[in-house]
Amino acid sequence: MTAAIYLARFHLSVSVFDDGSSRAASIPVSHNHAGFPGGINGRDLLDRMRRQAVQYGTDTRSTRVTALSGERGDFVVSTHDGTLEARTILLATGVNNREPDMSREDHDGALNRGLIRYCPVCDGFEVTDKRVAVIGTGTKACNEAVFLRSYTADITLLSPDPDHGLSASEQTLMHELGITVVAGPLEFNVGVDAISISTSDARYSFDSVYPALGSEIRSELAAGVGAMLSPEGCITVDSHQRTNIAGLYAAGDVVVGLDQISHAMGQGGVAATTIRNDLGRIQTLVR
């Protein structure tokens, strides 16, 4: 949406395809997004940005892109509703969080009440001195537990598997920081103000749970036209958000970097300006 605002204000023809699955839409309240001292709901933020983009002439389509083909100047975007030709493409397809093994209703209800949280960088402040669990295995879960230890002393690392996957040094670190490590399998019980998690040996209660289960990177469209990906599957870009495919750009969480709204917005602004200038080199843009 940031890129669309920029591009429309550059007097370029812009279409945004949005299937409604943005992770930002699931944020109950973001308190670290600058300019909103009281916080802002993710959907409200996206709504504001969408209205701003439309105000300058952006065409927004609530549909999923099923395929991308072609090359610079001759890209074809395919959806269930038809196709659209484009000179350039910006992919901001993001990632999907891997979720704990629980019902959709329980998960979404817990997420809305802050019982499940996915971003300690975004909202670690909100769990200051509260009872917190990290769900995951291995180094990723260890690192998230250590990060959250700077907000609260009451941290439990819960492995969904019998094997927590921690190295000897990581186990030592957990012990030194007072982080309890518990092996699963896990059973969830979502309450109004707390979330209970049972293992075969005990039952625990937490104010918030952070799944550290990784994510699915949505880079299939980029891969389909030959864009270079990182070993993890993120789209590889240069300092101006260009991929290795001429006319194809990428921004946001689908690119390696800090998964934050502010970072994605910055990349969107860079990508949009690069697109404008790259098009201007092909043919001078005049009014």
Side-chain angles (χ1 to χ4, degrees):
M1 298 313 302
T2 300
I5 292 166
Y6 274 62
L7 289 165
R9 287 174 54 82
F10 289 145
H11 291 300
L12 295 171
S13 174
V14 188
S15 292
V16 172
F17 293 86
D18 180 6
D19 71 355
S21 60
S22 167
R23 284 202 300 176
S26 68
I27 300 172
V29 185
S30 175
H31 291 283
N32 71 339
H33 188 55
F36 297 93
I40 183 163
N41 172 270
R43 287 191 181 278
D44 289 346
L45 178 62
L46 290 171
D47 229 30
R48 287 173 181 237
M49 298 181 73
R50 186 176 293 106
R51 292 200 306 270
Q52 189 172 349
V54 169
Q55 173 184 325
Y56 293 109
T58 298
D59 166 36
T60 61
R61 307 187 186 197
S62 301
T63 187
R64 185 181 184 87
V65 173
T66 55
L68 178 63
S69 60
E71 54 191 21
R72 181 168 65 187
D74 191 30
F75 287 109
V76 177
V77 179
S78 299
T79 72
H80 292 300
D81 303 319
T83 60
L84 177 76
E85 296 180 357
R87 290 188 290 173
T88 59
I89 300 287
L90 170 62
L91 293 174
T93 43
V95 302
N96 285 333
N97 296 318
R98 294 192 185 114
E99 301 174 357
D101 186 14
M102 58 199 307
S103 73
R104 172 58 50 195
E105 181 181 4
D106 280 349
H107 174 273
D108 291 354
L111 187 66
N112 289 333
R113 296 196 298 280
L115 302 179
I116 290 179
R117 300 174 181 270
Y118 282 95
C119 181
V121 173
C122 310
D123 55 28
F125 184 88
E126 274 64 54
V127 301
T128 299
D129 296 331
K130 293 187 176 181
R131 301 167 299 168
V132 173
V134 173
I135 300 174
T137 57
T139 299
K140 179 174 178 56
C142 174
N143 290 343
E144 192 144 318
V146 172
F147 185 91
L148 284 161
R149 185 61 180 79
S150 66
Y151 294 100
T152 178
D154 195 340
I155 301 279
T156 303
L157 195 162
L158 294 169
S159 168
D161 305 314
D163 180 9
H164 50 60
L166 300 175
S167 67
S169 61
E170 289 168 341
Q171 292 181 62
T172 299
L173 180 60
M174 296 294 96
H175 177 72
E176 290 174 348
L177 295 177
I179 297 172
T180 304
V181 179
V182 178
L186 310 175
E187 184 177 326
F188 300 88
N189 190 330
V190 178
V192 175
D193 300 316
I195 182 167
S196 297
I197 301 178
S198 299
T199 67
S200 56
D201 299 322
R203 179 170 177 162
Y204 305 85
S205 182
F206 303 100
D207 299 302
S208 284
V209 168
Y210 281 86
L213 302 170
S215 56
E216 304 294 340
I217 301 164
R218 299 169 59 167
S219 54
E220 316 85 44
L221 294 174
V225 290
M228 187 180 299
L229 305 181
S230 72
E232 299 77 23
C234 290
I235 302 174
T236 301
V237 295
D238 67 11
S239 59
H240 295 277
Q241 308 305 131
R242 299 183 185 97
T243 72
N244 62 303
I245 303 299
L248 182 68
Y249 307 77
D253 295 354
V254 75
V255 172
V256 173
L258 184 65
D259 287 2
Q260 293 285 291
I261 294 171
S262 57
H263 189 60
M265 290 174 72
Q267 289 183 327
V270 170
T273 305
T274 304
I275 289 169
R276 186 258 174 238
N277 290 338
D278 285 351
L279 287 172
R281 291 186 186 96
I282 297 169
Q283 179 180 348
T284 304
L285 303 177
V286 294
R287 187 71 173 157

